[in-house]
Amino acid sequence: MATVKIGLLGFGTVGRGVYKVLQTHREKIYNTLGVEVEIGRVLVRNLEKYQKTYPELIDLFTENPEEIIDNPEIKIIVEVMGGINPALDYVLQAMKNGKSVITANKDMVAERGRELFATHEEQGVDFLFEASVAGGIPIIRTLKESLAGNSFKEVIGIINGTTNYMLTKMSLFGTPYEEVLKEAQEKGYAEADPTSDVEGLDAARKLAILASIAFNSRVTFGDVYAEGITRITPIDIQYARELGGVIKLLGIAKEDEEGIEVRVHPTIIPESHPLAAVNDVFNAIFVEGDAVGPLMFYGRGAGELPTASAVVGDIIEAVKNISHHDTGRIGCTCYLEKPVKPIGEISSKYFIRLVVEDKPGVLASVAQVFGNQSVSIASVIQKRSLEDLAELVVLTHRVKERYIRDAVSVLKGMSTVREISNVIRAEGDF
Amino acid sequence: MATVKIGLLGFGTVGRGVYKVLQTHREKIYNTLGVEVEIGRVLVRNLEKYQKTYPELIDLFTENPEEIIDNPEIKIIVEVMGGINPALDYVLQAMKNGKSVITANKDMVAERGRELFATHEEQGVDFLFEASVAGGIPIIRTLKESLAGNSFKEVIGIINGTTNYMLTKMSLFGTPYEEVLKEAQEKGYAEADPTSDVEGLDAARKLAILASIAFNSRVTFGDVYAEGITRITPIDIQYARELGGVIKLLGIAKEDEEGIEVRVHPTIIPESHPLAAVNDVFNAIFVEGDAVGPLMFYGRGAGELPTASAVVGDIIEAVKNISHHDTGRIGCTCYLEKPVKPIGEISSKYFIRLVVEDKPGVLASVAQVFGNQSVSIASVIQKRSLEDLAELVVLTHRVKERYIRDAVSVLKGMSTVREISNVIRAEGDF
């Protein structure tokens, strides 16, 4: 076999990146594999548009997915169209036709992993998805293969570049959320509808995928508690700094004897934590293995070429497996069934910012509420803000989330408490 | 095939770690592979010693290597004895006997890679060596596989934990070299004869392996310029800090149209560089791929369990390949022959600390020497030190090393220059 043909489903940013990387490294890839890798067909929505901009590919574009999925010449499908439908149907059908599938589609993997892996195993084809998490950072195969001699209790990551860029700007310049969002949109880092990034949904999908692999148990998007950065203000960031911390949107996955916890939310971490120095659009994933100890992987989590780097790494694997008659060798690793804890059952430290009446006994009564819920307070910052009101920041010790929720709900009902301005989780030692 | 037996050559720190990790993760490994992995035989130098401390392995220990290398029941050899002889003979013979080989032996791979890879390719067996570089950090297979769609121009790493620990202590507490070395020896971080670590030889071996993979061209230990940390003083560290930098022992591999440069030496890097925050015994490797952009991998570069994590990752790969009849799938990637530049031809910035007579015209004459060698000066710090002498620190712009060497040799001959106290290379923007 001298040539393996791949079919591209989609020719957006990532698809074009894959085309470019395959072109640039044609020789290196041939030297690695002893086989040529060629794009055989490209599914696009608007044939005319692409035929003009990519005349060298004019014969490869098609608007008909069957010309790729049912094409016996094409051995590997690269799905970079995004969204669950119709991508899922195409990919399942392609596997049933004996083709290996590579995808960058985190929505599909995080929501429909079970069917995808079942079909992949039934058919004995490859199903690879390195690009679905943290763009160019090699993490999926690393966890599944190089680190297979470890068990993991914790995966913590900055896995959304848009919000990390925004929080970095807010931290450096004190820029408010709305303004920094506009700037991110102008730079192309945030989309016109930024919901998926700023509400933590994008990160939640990636975290579901990471947790499934780390804990050998299927975690889906719906299992992940997601809270975004829309309520973070420069004031919160300033107080966090006073406590020696920075605010990052983290994906946190942990496992203990009670089950798995998976949550995405703004988190205050100590300035000395390796993740605290990860700025701008960069991503990083921190894992702790029982043998290897702490590991951190840092790089670009998105973008045309970084994402294409991950896809092409998978293409090379899939081509090698086809030419060695060894497809399907990297299987699903979710052979256990572990429960996912509801958010009330997780434990964290909490930063609570509130506005109270500035008169004798108020601090005592606030402290009493926490005490009644068995919440132990680590530190308090009190500042006079407006006339007869004071701003109070409370940092708690580690405690179950439901106790905090109960305490906050009691506080909300108190006449001396004017506002619960924010509640932010914190990890690490302050 | 229900069980794959492996033979351990050596039962020192790493060997015992491999045994522990295989024990701890017996079930996980079985779930991953569908095959049991069992230690079949263990080569030790002193049978009696181990039979007492590991009675459960009493029947497995042997002092006779042939009982492992020539044993048809053993399919995989794990070489963790270290040193080139007799390890090389054992490993070559094992491959000729059709066994896959896993090694943690950087000396052997960095010096005798050519023969090892030739035999591995002839025999079609696996030859894996993840543990030979940076302990638990997954970098070898990541560069070869996940990042195969990139070309690399640069690999920079902190790849010796002992010296990183020592430099960290010297930076934090101003402790002198001799004292910090003693402390490192007491903690077991440095050996009684610390030469290999402190002279940069250990790092040079790892860099040779990394550069070979990154640039697809064989680089051996002998190609690497190595300079250790023995001449670094707290004074140098203090001046570096005044320039906004920290001193790290870096392995630096770069490639341009003239060839490859590979060098290990103390290097001043800006405080803001991701590697600057890598402290204590931690290692980190920074690579820049043309598609993926900058990537950094951070973790423990040595120790029983981190190194065992890498070995066990390779064992799982080798077992999978045996059970899939697909051994030898990860081949040698050195298919090019690129020249290695002599150290005089590399370019760097330079920090030169010297003691001169403190009288009019001396600074001008020193500056003139640099000017004559086309060395452009970026900044100068001058401080009065003793009576009529002044200490001068010069930071140059990027220039070829041989011009610096020429300048320093002229300076040494000047009557107004009392001492060239140190010359340290610098990378990055200050």
Side-chain angles (χ1 to χ4, degrees):
Chain A
M1 181 181 45
T3 303
V4 171
K5 286 198 177 176
I6 67 172
L8 271 184
L9 302 181
F11 204 62
T13 307
V14 180
R16 292 192 295 266
V18 170
Y19 169 64
K20 281 185 202 169
V21 172
L22 288 175
Q23 288 293 107
T24 311
H25 292 302
R26 176 175 287 269
E27 204 182 315
K28 175 166 179 164
I29 293 169
Y30 180 78
N31 278 319
T32 305
L33 292 169
V35 169
E36 290 271 359
V37 177
E38 217 176 69
I39 294 183
R41 219 90 171 82
V42 182
L43 180 70
V44 291
R45 262 189 239 150
N46 181 340
L47 211 55
E48 256 177 73
K49 178 178 145 194
Y50 288 106
Q51 282 174 335
K52 272 175 205 156
T53 40
Y54 287 87
E56 75 274 27
L57 300 177
I58 199 160
D59 298 331
L60 304 185
F61 290 122
T62 172
E63 288 178 356
N64 179 2
E66 288 166 12
E67 289 187 21
I68 298 177
I69 300 165
D70 299 332
N71 186 335
E73 286 198 351
I74 287 172
K75 304 294 178 198
I76 298 170
I77 298 290
V78 173
E79 186 277 302
V80 286
M81 51 200 293
I84 294 180
N85 289 311
L88 182 71
D89 288 341
Y90 295 169
V91 157
L92 290 173
Q93 189 55 46
M95 288 200 270
K96 286 177 191 149
N97 289 343
K99 301 183 197 314
S100 288
V101 166
I102 289 154
T103 180
N105 190 330
K106 56 190 165 296
D107 304 47
M108 187 176 79
V109 179
E111 294 189 36
R112 309 297 285 273
R114 211 174 283 272
E115 300 157 71
L116 287 162
F117 287 103
T119 308
H120 137 71
E121 299 212 324
E122 268 163 40
Q123 301 296 325
V125 295
D126 278 329
F127 178 65
L128 304 170
F129 48 100
E130 184 67 68
S132 69
V133 177
I137 300 176
I139 185 71
I140 303 291
R141 237 199 289 175
T142 306
L143 286 173
K144 284 194 168 196
E145 301 209 302
S146 301
L147 299 172
N150 287 269
S151 66
F152 296 95
K153 293 288 166 221
E154 197 175 284
V155 180
I156 300 189
I158 295 174
I159 45 181
N160 180 270
T162 308
T163 48
N164 201 44
Y165 171 84
M166 291 172 66
L167 289 172
T168 301
K169 291 284 158 186
M170 288 170 75
S171 292
L172 284 177
F173 307 113
T175 323
Y177 173 81
E178 292 299 340
E179 207 172 300
V180 92
L181 173 60
K182 225 181 112 193
E183 193 190 316
Q185 286 170 323
E186 283 163 9
K187 291 206 172 192
Y189 295 155
E191 292 177 54
D193 174 1
T195 312
S196 171
D197 290 322
V198 300
E199 298 293 0
L201 309 178
D202 172 81
R205 292 186 174 97
K206 295 170 185 165
L207 187 66
I209 299 171
L210 284 175
S212 300
I213 296 167
F215 306 140
N216 302 117
S217 178
R218 172 83 43 222
V219 176
T220 64
F221 172 55
D223 293 325
V224 184
Y225 172 83
E227 188 183 306
I229 65 163
T230 55
R231 298 191 59 231
I232 299 297
T233 66
I235 300 169
D236 297 312
I237 291 172
Q238 182 52 38
Y239 276 115
R241 188 173 292 142
E242 286 181 35
L243 295 162
V246 298
I247 302 182
K248 294 288 182 188
L249 183 71
L250 295 188
I252 298 176
K254 297 187 185 185
E255 195 212 325
D256 63 19
E257 48 297 332
E258 292 167 37
I260 292 171
E261 58 184 71
V262 272
R263 46 195 172 97
V264 171
H265 50 69
T267 314
I268 303 178
I269 52 173
E271 274 161 5
S272 57
H273 192 286
L275 289 172
V278 175
N279 286 322
D280 294 315
V281 294
F282 280 92
N283 281 24
I285 296 164
F286 185 90
V287 297
E288 176 109 29
D290 65 339
V292 76
L295 278 177
M296 191 175 85
F297 303 86
Y298 166 96
R300 287 192 189 280
E304 183 187 38
L305 295 179
T307 311
S309 163
V311 171
V312 172
D314 280 350
I315 290 176
I316 292 171
E317 172 78 13
V319 171
K320 191 188 275 188
N321 294 346
I322 289 171
S323 56
H324 290 214
H325 306 288
D326 190 14
T327 58
R329 71 191 307 277
I330 305 180
C332 178
T333 50
C334 293
Y335 47 79
L336 301 171
E337 293 269 1
K338 298 177 185 172
V340 174
K341 294 188 214 178
I343 187 71
E345 296 307 308
I346 69 119
S347 287
S348 180
K349 297 177 176 182
Y350 295 84
F351 160 108
I352 300 135
R353 181 162 66 88
L354 63 172
V355 178
V356 297
E357 288 181 8
D358 189 13
K359 61 185 188 192
V362 172
L363 179 56
S365 66
V366 167
Q368 186 63 44
V369 172
F370 285 111
N372 290 346
Q373 301 295 333
S374 311
V375 176
S376 157
I377 291 174
S379 57
V380 174
I381 304 174
Q382 179 171 352
K383 288 195 178 164
R384 183 174 302 268
S385 51
L386 279 161
E387 292 173 15
D388 55 345
L389 297 177
E391 190 164 53
L392 213 60
V393 168
V394 174
L395 183 70
T396 76
H397 285 296
R398 188 164 288 278
V399 62
K400 273 210 173 163
E401 174 131 344
R402 60 185 157 91
Y403 297 119
I404 289 292
R405 295 194 172 209
D406 289 347
V408 166
S409 124
V410 173
L411 288 170
K412 274 185 180 158
M414 286 166 65
S415 63
T416 49
V417 175
R418 293 298 175 83
E419 180 187 288
I420 305 286
S421 315
N422 220 340
V423 178
I424 304 174
R425 295 168 193 84
E427 292 281 329
D429 296 323
F430 292 90
Chain B
M1 183 182 44
T3 303
V4 170
K5 286 198 178 177
I6 65 171
L8 271 186
L9 303 181
F11 204 60
T13 308
V14 180
R16 291 192 295 267
V18 170
Y19 168 64
K20 281 184 203 170
V21 172
L22 288 176
Q23 287 294 106
T24 313
H25 292 302
R26 178 174 286 271
E27 204 183 314
K28 175 165 178 165
I29 293 169
Y30 180 78
N31 278 319
T32 305
L33 292 170
V35 170
E36 291 270 359
V37 177
E38 218 177 68
I39 294 184
R41 219 88 172 86
V42 182
L43 179 70
V44 290
R45 264 189 236 151
N46 182 337
L47 211 55
E48 258 177 72
K49 177 178 148 196
Y50 288 106
Q51 283 174 337
K52 273 175 207 155
T53 40
Y54 287 86
E56 75 273 27
L57 299 177
I58 198 160
D59 299 331
L60 304 184
F61 290 121
T62 173
E63 290 178 356
N64 178 3
E66 288 167 12
E67 288 187 21
I68 299 178
I69 300 165
D70 298 332
N71 186 335
E73 283 197 352
I74 286 172
K75 304 296 179 198
I76 298 170
I77 298 290
V78 174
E79 186 276 304
V80 285
M81 51 199 293
I84 293 180
N85 290 311
L88 181 71
D89 288 341
Y90 296 170
V91 156
L92 290 173
Q93 188 56 45
M95 287 200 269
K96 285 177 190 150
N97 289 344
K99 299 184 198 316
S100 288
V101 167
I102 290 155
T103 180
N105 189 330
K106 55 187 166 295
D107 304 48
M108 187 177 77
V109 179
E111 294 189 36
R112 309 296 286 271
R114 209 175 285 272
E115 301 155 71
L116 288 162
F117 286 104
T119 308
H120 138 71
E121 298 212 324
E122 268 163 40
Q123 301 296 325
V125 295
D126 278 330
F127 178 65
L128 304 170
F129 49 100
E130 184 67 67
S132 69
V133 177
I137 302 176
I139 184 71
I140 303 290
R141 237 197 292 174
T142 307
L143 286 173
K144 283 194 169 197
E145 301 208 303
S146 301
L147 298 172
N150 287 268
S151 65
F152 296 96
K153 293 289 166 221
E154 198 174 284
V155 180
I156 299 187
I158 294 175
I159 45 181
N160 180 271
T162 308
T163 49
N164 201 45
Y165 172 83
M166 290 172 66
L167 290 172
T168 302
K169 289 286 158 185
M170 288 169 75
S171 293
L172 285 177
F173 307 113
T175 323
Y177 172 80
E178 293 299 340
E179 208 173 298
V180 91
L181 172 60
K182 225 179 111 194
E183 195 190 316
Q185 285 170 324
E186 282 162 11
K187 291 208 172 191
Y189 294 158
E191 293 177 53
D193 173 2
T195 313
S196 172
D197 290 322
V198 301
E199 297 293 0
L201 309 177
D202 172 81
R205 293 187 174 95
K206 296 169 185 165
L207 187 66
I209 299 172
L210 284 174
S212 299
I213 296 167
F215 306 141
N216 302 116
S217 177
R218 172 82 43 223
V219 175
T220 65
F221 173 53
D223 294 326
V224 184
Y225 172 84
E227 188 184 305
I229 64 163
T230 56
R231 300 190 59 230
I232 298 295
T233 67
I235 300 168
D236 296 312
I237 292 172
Q238 181 52 40
Y239 276 115
R241 187 174 294 140
E242 286 182 36
L243 295 163
V246 297
I247 302 183
K248 293 288 183 190
L249 184 71
L250 296 189
I252 299 177
K254 296 188 185 184
E255 197 213 324
D256 63 17
E257 49 297 332
E258 292 166 37
I260 291 171
E261 59 185 69
V262 273
R263 45 196 173 99
V264 171
H265 50 69
T267 315
I268 303 177
I269 52 173
E271 274 161 7
S272 57
H273 192 285
L275 289 172
V278 176
N279 285 322
D280 294 316
V281 295
F282 280 92
N283 282 22
I285 295 165
F286 184 89
V287 296
E288 174 109 30
D290 64 339
V292 77
L295 279 177
M296 192 173 84
F297 303 86
Y298 166 97
R300 287 194 188 279
E304 182 188 37
L305 294 180
T307 311
S309 162
V311 171
V312 173
D314 280 351
I315 291 176
I316 291 171
E317 171 78 13
V319 172
K320 191 187 274 186
N321 293 346
I322 289 171
S323 57
H324 289 216
H325 307 287
D326 191 15
T327 58
R329 70 192 307 278
I330 304 180
C332 178
T333 49
C334 292
Y335 47 78
L336 300 172
E337 292 270 0
K338 296 177 186 172
V340 174
K341 293 188 215 179
I343 187 70
E345 297 306 307
I346 69 116
S347 287
S348 180
K349 296 177 177 182
Y350 295 84
F351 160 108
I352 300 136
R353 179 163 67 88
L354 63 171
V355 178
V356 298
E357 289 181 6
D358 189 13
K359 62 186 188 190
V362 172
L363 178 57
S365 65
V366 167
Q368 184 64 45
V369 171
F370 286 110
N372 290 345
Q373 302 295 334
S374 312
V375 176
S376 155
I377 291 174
S379 56
V380 173
I381 304 176
Q382 178 170 354
K383 287 195 179 166
R384 185 173 303 268
S385 51
L386 279 161
E387 293 173 14
D388 54 346
L389 297 178
E391 189 164 55
L392 213 60
V393 167
V394 174
L395 184 70
T396 75
H397 286 297
R398 188 164 287 279
V399 61
K400 274 211 174 161
E401 173 132 344
R402 60 185 158 92
Y403 297 120
I404 289 292
R405 295 194 171 209
D406 289 347
V408 166
S409 125
V410 173
L411 288 170
K412 274 184 179 159
M414 284 167 65
S415 62
T416 49
V417 175
R418 292 299 177 83
E419 181 187 288
I420 305 289
S421 314
N422 220 339
V423 179
I424 303 173
R425 294 167 193 85
E427 294 280 329
D429 295 322
F430 292 89

